[in-house]
């Protein structure tokens, strides 16, 4: 899941989708919003050459990146654009701060780590995602699994016998709700979004 604020340079409607040409300071990308009921008037009315907030999922088809749009809204307040830019800068500087902290000479990155179920909570990936302990271990297991259909719930339970099934279910639900993982062939197989 991604969110971005961009200028809508062009809008192209067809019978099944609306394609928005989006541009921000990083470049241009097309966003596709699938229209229900074959009714182009059901697509949000976004004025070209105006700013919009887009929430969607990044797709790579045939070497061409695009966004599958879940929600798009026109931005009427310049404050929302400024706030978005500040959020982007904050995330970047926090990431740089975390990587510096991890690579500074003489700094033991595990010295301040807390153990939770046998897993260390000091991992910068876990910190950036808001995961720790068992959550981070399950996330890494899903991300590192090599399969066309993803890792199954049974495989996860077999890997983590010390986590009871209801706790594993709540961990999976949390990561799904946060947009970190998604289901594949059925509701019991999972892939990481950034895998």
């Amino acid at each position: 899941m991604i969110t971005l604020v961009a200028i809508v340079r062009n809008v192209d409607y067809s019978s099944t989708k609306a394609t928005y040409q989006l541009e921000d300071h990083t470049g241009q990308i097309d966003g596709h919003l699938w229209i229900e009921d074959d009714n182009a008037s059901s697509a949000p009315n976004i004025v070209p050459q105006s700013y919009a907030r887009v929430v969607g999922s990044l797709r790579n088809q045939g070497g061409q990146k695009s966004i599958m749009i879940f929600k798009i809204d026109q931005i009427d307040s310049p404050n929302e654009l400024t706030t978005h830019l500040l959020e982007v800068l904050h995330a970047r500087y926090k990431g740089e701060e975390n990587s510096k902290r991890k690579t500074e000479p003489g700094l033991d990155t595990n010295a301040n780590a807390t153990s939770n179920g046998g897993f260390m909570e000091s991992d910068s990936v876990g910190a950036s995602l808001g995961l720790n302990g068992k959550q981070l271990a399950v996330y890494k297991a899903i991300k590192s699994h090599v399969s066309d259909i993803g890792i199954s719930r049974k495989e996860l339970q077999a890997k983590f016998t010390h986590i009871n099934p209801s706790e594993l279910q709540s961990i999976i639900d949390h990561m799904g709700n946060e947009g970190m993982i998604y289901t594949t062939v059925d509701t019991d197989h999972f892939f990481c979004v950034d895998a």
Side-chain angles (χ1 to χ4, degrees), residues 108-161:
D108 181 8
T109 57
N110 288 330
N112 298 326
T114 315
S115 178
N116 183 355
F119 301 105
M120 301 308 285
E121 295 182 358
S122 64
D123 192 298
S124 64
V125 173
S128 68
L129 294 173
L131 300 176
N132 54 44
K134 295 175 185 176
Q135 294 174 336
L136 182 57
V138 172
Y139 176 81
K140 285 183 175 182
I142 294 170
K143 186 172 183 174
S144 65
H145 186 75
V146 179
S147 168
D148 291 338
I149 61 171
I151 190 168
S152 71
R153 188 181 311 271
K154 286 181 183 178
E155 290 172 301
L156 284 171
Q157 191 63 59
K159 275 188 177 204
F160 302 104
T161 56

Side-chain angles (χ1 to χ4, degrees), residues 5-7 50-53 73-85:
V5 172
I7 298 173
S50 65
Y51 280 96
R53 176 176 295 277
D73 290 317
Q74 189 162 323
I75 292 178
D76 297 321
S77 169
N79 291 334
E80 193 169 347
L81 174 63
T82 305
T83 302
H84 176 75
L85 292 174

Side-chain angles (χ1 to χ4, degrees), residues 4-191:
L4 65 113
V5 172
I7 298 173
V8 177
R9 292 295 183 194
N10 190 25
V11 182
D12 181 31
Y13 294 101
S14 70
S15 62
T16 58
K17 69 179 177 179
T19 301
Y20 299 90
Q21 187 181 45
L22 306 169
E23 181 180 337
D24 68 2
H25 63 280
T26 63
Q28 286 190 351
I29 191 167
D30 285 342
H32 306 287
L33 177 68
W34 295 99
I35 300 172
E36 297 177 13
D37 303 328
D38 296 332
N39 184 2
S41 64
S42 68
N45 188 16
I46 306 294
V47 178
Q49 308 306 326
S50 65
Y51 280 96
R53 176 176 295 277
V54 178
V55 178
S57 176
L58 190 62
R59 299 283 191 235
N60 191 353
Q61 296 174 346
Q64 184 78 9
K65 289 185 179 179
S66 63
I67 298 174
M68 186 175 80
I69 298 175
F70 301 134
K71 182 179 178 184
I72 183 168
D73 290 317
Q74 189 162 323
I75 292 178
D76 297 321
S77 169
N79 291 334
E80 193 169 347
L81 174 63
T82 305
T83 302
H84 176 75
L85 292 174
L86 290 171
E87 288 171 347
V88 169
L89 289 172
H90 175 73
R92 176 183 174 179
Y93 292 131
K94 269 298 194 193
E96 288 176 359
E97 179 182 307
N98 288 339
S99 74
K100 281 181 188 175
R101 201 177 305 153
K102 192 168 187 163
T103 59
E104 284 180 15
L107 181 64
D108 181 8
T109 57
N110 288 330
N112 298 326
T114 315
S115 178
N116 183 355
F119 301 105
M120 301 308 285
E121 295 182 358
S122 64
D123 192 298
S124 64
V125 173
S128 68
L129 294 173
L131 300 176
N132 54 44
K134 295 175 185 176
Q135 294 174 336
L136 182 57
V138 172
Y139 176 81
K140 285 183 175 182
I142 294 170
K143 186 172 183 174
S144 65
H145 186 75
V146 179
S147 168
D148 291 338
I149 61 171
I151 190 168
S152 71
R153 188 181 311 271
K154 286 181 183 178
E155 290 172 301
L156 284 171
Q157 191 63 59
K159 275 188 177 204
F160 302 104
T161 56
H162 64 284
I163 301 176
N164 67 46
S166 64
E167 185 179 7
L168 182 63
Q169 178 63 39
S170 69
I171 291 170
I172 290 170
D173 288 346
H174 170 73
M175 288 190 289
N177 292 338
E178 293 296 318
M180 297 174 203
I181 64 172
Y182 61 95
T183 57
T184 59
V185 294
D186 59 25
T187 57
D188 289 327
H189 287 81
F190 309 97
F191 265 141

